[in-house]
Amino acid sequence: MTTHSHNHGENANARQLSIVLGLVGTFLVVEVVYGFLSGSLALLSDAGHMLTDAAALALSLFAIKMGQRPADRQRTFGYRRAEILAAALNAGVLLAIGLYILYEAYLRLRSPVEVQTTSMLIVAVLGLVVNIVSARLLVAGSGDSLNVKSAYLEVLGDLLGSVAVIVGAILIRFTGLEWIDPVLGALIGLWVIPRTWILLKSSVNVLMEGVPEDFQLDALRSALEKLPGVSEVHDLHVWSVTSGQHNLTAHLVSANPPAELLARVQAVARQYDLDHSTVQIEVPGLHTENEDHHDHGELHP
């Protein structure tokens, strides 16, 4: 029953993401074309930000589609890590785009370019409408899915970019100060770069099988050590297959393990939102013997 409704939820999220991706992708092309025609760096930098939205939407949709594929002999954990691989690649590209926007803003501050504020304003207003519609489509699923929540936050962020371009077009139109455009472009670029860096850092942490961010590993170790019959916990590993899917492996030393020990370990794992746990029960002294055996096999200078 739970799996059935979960699949329905994923299918609904996939439909919403597909619609929003179509809207954002179409407007992205329009914004790039008019950005070059109007000469507005703010419009082009907002298009770069819109590209981050399109990429995030595509990644979220891709993750849902790939995550529905069953595990096989080659991919025993399934295909959900494809989301992380794509996110890391995407983050690298977007980081380069953000740095290029800053460089272009520097050049335009030195040599201002005339901006056609009418085209800039019209396209920015259209972008604001697209983002409002997209946000309304995604808000329903943002509470249940981390993927959809991420895409929803991206769209909300782009609302700020559209507002910045609108304000810039109005100010330039009434003041004639061309430097406002590259400054706004640089500000949008500075807003994109930290978010992209966080995405890259999080993706690399998953690929390196690091402990999930904000996970209390010491607290988990303490909870396992307090279980009846457990005298030691070692080889404790917690990592993510993909965002929101955390796994646990551990060795528990127990001279007389109670029959319900594994069930209690599973209960602790659920408290820490660990989806899959593998536990080995050892008799006292076995870990030390294994370490000694390993040491004897090493070559020392």
Side-chain angles (χ1 to χ4, degrees), residues 1 32 116 131 140 177-178 180 196 205 256:
M1 183 69 70
V32 169
Q116 298 179 16
N131 285 314
L177 299 175
E178 302 288 349
I180 293 176
T196 303
N205 185 58
N256 297 295

Side-chain angles (χ1 to χ4, degrees), residues 12-289:
N13 289 337
R15 286 193 298 271
Q16 293 167 343
L17 286 168
S18 298
I19 295 171
V20 174
L21 181 58
L23 289 172
V24 171
T26 301
F27 182 75
L28 172 62
V29 175
V30 174
E31 195 167 35
V32 169
V33 171
Y34 276 90
F36 281 109
L37 291 178
S38 66
S40 170
L41 181 62
L43 205 56
L44 287 174
S45 62
D46 188 58
H49 184 203
M50 186 72 80
L51 178 61
T52 69
D53 292 344
L57 290 166
L59 283 172
S60 298
L61 185 59
F62 178 71
I64 290 176
K65 295 297 184 182
M66 288 295 290
Q68 292 174 346
R69 297 182 62 179
D72 54 37
R73 292 182 179 180
Q74 293 296 320
R75 304 288 183 268
T76 56
F77 276 110
Y79 290 80
R80 296 192 63 188
R81 184 160 281 194
E83 172 196 3
I84 306 301
L85 291 170
L89 177 62
N90 180 53
V93 173
L94 297 179
L95 186 61
I97 291 174
L99 293 174
Y100 174 76
I101 289 172
L102 293 180
Y103 174 71
E104 187 66 23
Y106 167 74
L107 293 180
R108 291 203 178 191
L109 282 172
R110 297 185 60 183
S111 302
V113 176
E114 184 179 354
V115 176
Q116 298 179 16
T117 56
T118 301
S119 298
M120 180 180 173
L121 185 59
I122 291 174
V123 175
V125 170
L126 289 175
L128 184 61
V129 172
V130 168
N131 285 314
I132 291 174
V133 173
S134 299
R136 288 183 64 85
L137 286 171
L138 293 177
V139 67
S142 62
D144 302 322
S145 168
L146 291 176
N147 278 330
V148 178
K149 183 177 182 180
S150 174
Y152 174 65
L153 293 177
E154 288 283 344
V155 170
L156 284 183
D158 199 57
L159 278 169
L160 298 177
S162 297
V163 171
V165 175
I166 292 172
V167 172
I170 294 174
L171 289 177
I172 294 172
R173 189 176 187 87
F174 287 99
T175 66
L177 299 175
E178 302 288 349
W179 58 264
I180 293 176
D181 178 65
V183 168
L184 286 173
L187 289 176
I188 296 173
L190 288 173
W191 195 76
V192 170
I193 289 175
R195 295 162 64 236
T196 303
W197 176 253
I198 291 173
L199 173 62
L200 181 61
K201 181 181 176 182
S202 299
S203 302
V204 171
N205 185 58
V206 174
L207 293 175
M208 295 296 292
E209 297 189 345
V211 176
E213 297 175 358
D214 300 323
F215 188 89
Q216 302 298 322
L217 187 65
D218 291 336
L220 172 63
R221 182 186 298 274
S222 178
L224 292 174
E225 289 174 342
K226 291 178 181 177
L227 291 176
V230 176
S231 59
E232 181 187 349
V233 176
H234 63 87
D235 289 328
L236 176 63
H237 302 284
V238 176
W239 76 100
S240 300
V241 174
T242 185
S243 56
Q245 183 179 330
H246 309 318
N247 294 347
L248 158 73
T249 62
H251 291 195
L252 307 184
V253 178
S254 178
N256 297 295
E260 67 275 11
L261 178 57
L262 288 179
R264 291 179 175 177
V265 171
Q266 295 293 337
V268 170
R270 285 192 295 270
Q271 292 176 6
Y272 286 84
D273 295 324
L274 296 167
D275 303 284
H276 179 80
S277 58
T278 303
V279 178
Q280 177 173 313
I281 308 297
E282 297 178 356
V283 297
L286 179 62
H287 179 54
T288 304
E289 292 175 4

